[in-house]
Amino acid sequence: MGEEGGRPMTEAEWLACGEPEPLLRLLQDRASQRKLRLFACACVADYIRVMGKEGTRMPAALAISEAYADGVVGREEWLRSTRLSFHFSPWKFEDVHQEARYAVEAAECVAESQEQQQQRECAFISCVFGNPFHPTVFASAWRTVDVAALAQVAYESRDFSALPILADALEDAGCTDRTILEHCRGPDPHVRGCWVLDLILGKQ
Ligand SMILES: [Zn+2]
């Protein structure tokens, strides 16, 4: 568990926390490397967007980092791309917790309110990891053809605008879990690694 002042963070503190660091501390022992990497990727994608870096080599390198997180490309290719495209040293990527931390720091270099930046990062954490105090059990009956197809398209395209429709499809399949439905219909941004999509797609 993450620690606040030497004791484990409580759920109330988790929900109220507006800074990514304490949340990442709590997650680092329990989250998968894939999810931590995808969170780091979400921060870098945010950095690219805010800093207008779309025309650089960063988006292509980011795509490779996402593919590496999902085990689609190998370590050598991933290291080559990070060496070319990020200003952090590749060795720092050795440690995935450090990776997420450096991604946060890089994003915080952006000349805007640090508070806004941190709010977005906390929103990414909430999307990728959900509430670690209340892991959700996903009933296989909810994984209908429609639900699986909507989830797969959103994951592959990174276009998450259909998540409210996914919530409707889940309800049609009998899902009444408010945490799942509200996450799909809520105002917060979604990123690759979204905990609801991962549950549907069987990813961890
Ligand atoms: Zn999400």
Side-chain angles (χ1 to χ4, degrees):
M1 297 288 285
E3 306 229 327
E4 285 292 295
R7 61 177 174 73
M9 191 184 217
T10 65
E11 183 178 12
E13 285 166 343
W14 166 272
L15 293 172
C17 186
E19 296 169 26
E21 287 282 344
L23 303 179
L24 287 173
R25 268 203 304 280
L26 180 134
L27 289 165
Q28 64 188 6
D29 298 329
R30 51 172 70 194
S32 69
Q33 292 220 335
R34 171 181 165 275
K35 276 187 171 283
L36 287 164
R37 286 189 197 287
L38 287 177
F39 163 68
C41 287
C43 293
V44 173
D46 196 52
Y47 172 83
I48 290 170
R49 184 183 61 79
V50 173
M51 295 295 281
K53 298 279 187 188
E54 288 86 352
T56 70
R57 284 184 293 194
M58 287 185 76
L62 177 63
I64 292 174
S65 283
E66 286 181 338
Y68 178 65
D70 272 331
V72 177
V73 307
R75 183 174 181 77
E76 282 306 309
E77 185 180 350
W78 170 66
L79 279 175
R80 254 197 319 277
S81 77
T82 59
R83 195 170 292 133
L84 281 173
S85 307
F86 292 98
H87 60 272
F88 341 111
S89 320
W91 64 266
K92 288 175 178 167
F93 279 82
E94 290 293 312
D95 180 331
V96 76
H97 308 139
Q98 279 294 91
E99 180 182 339
R101 185 182 307 267
Y102 280 105
V104 168
E105 284 174 6
E108 283 173 358
C109 294
V110 175
E112 63 161 344
S113 145
Q114 186 171 330
E115 201 175 322
Q116 286 177 329
Q117 187 68 47
Q118 291 194 334
Q119 272 173 9
R120 287 208 301 281
E121 283 153 9
C122 289
F124 299 153
I125 288 176
S126 154
C127 174
V128 173
F129 302 100
N131 179 346
F133 293 88
H134 286 288
T136 304
V137 178
F138 192 86
S140 56
W142 302 339
R143 198 177 287 110
T144 59
V145 172
D146 281 354
V147 164
L150 284 164
Q152 190 70 40
V153 168
Y155 192 83
E156 292 299 332
S157 67
R158 302 176 188 77
D159 175 357
F160 303 98
S161 58
L163 260 65
I165 299 170
L166 175 63
D168 296 344
L170 282 164
E171 270 189 325
D172 289 345
C175 174
T176 55
D177 187 298
R178 282 185 47 202
T179 315
I180 290 178
L181 298 175
E182 285 170 10
H183 185 74
C184 291
R185 290 173 173 149
D188 287 337
H190 298 278
V191 295
R192 184 172 277 203
C194 171
W195 68 269
V196 170
L197 295 182
D198 276 2
L199 277 179
I200 296 168
L201 298 171
K203 296 177 184 288
Q204 295 186 337

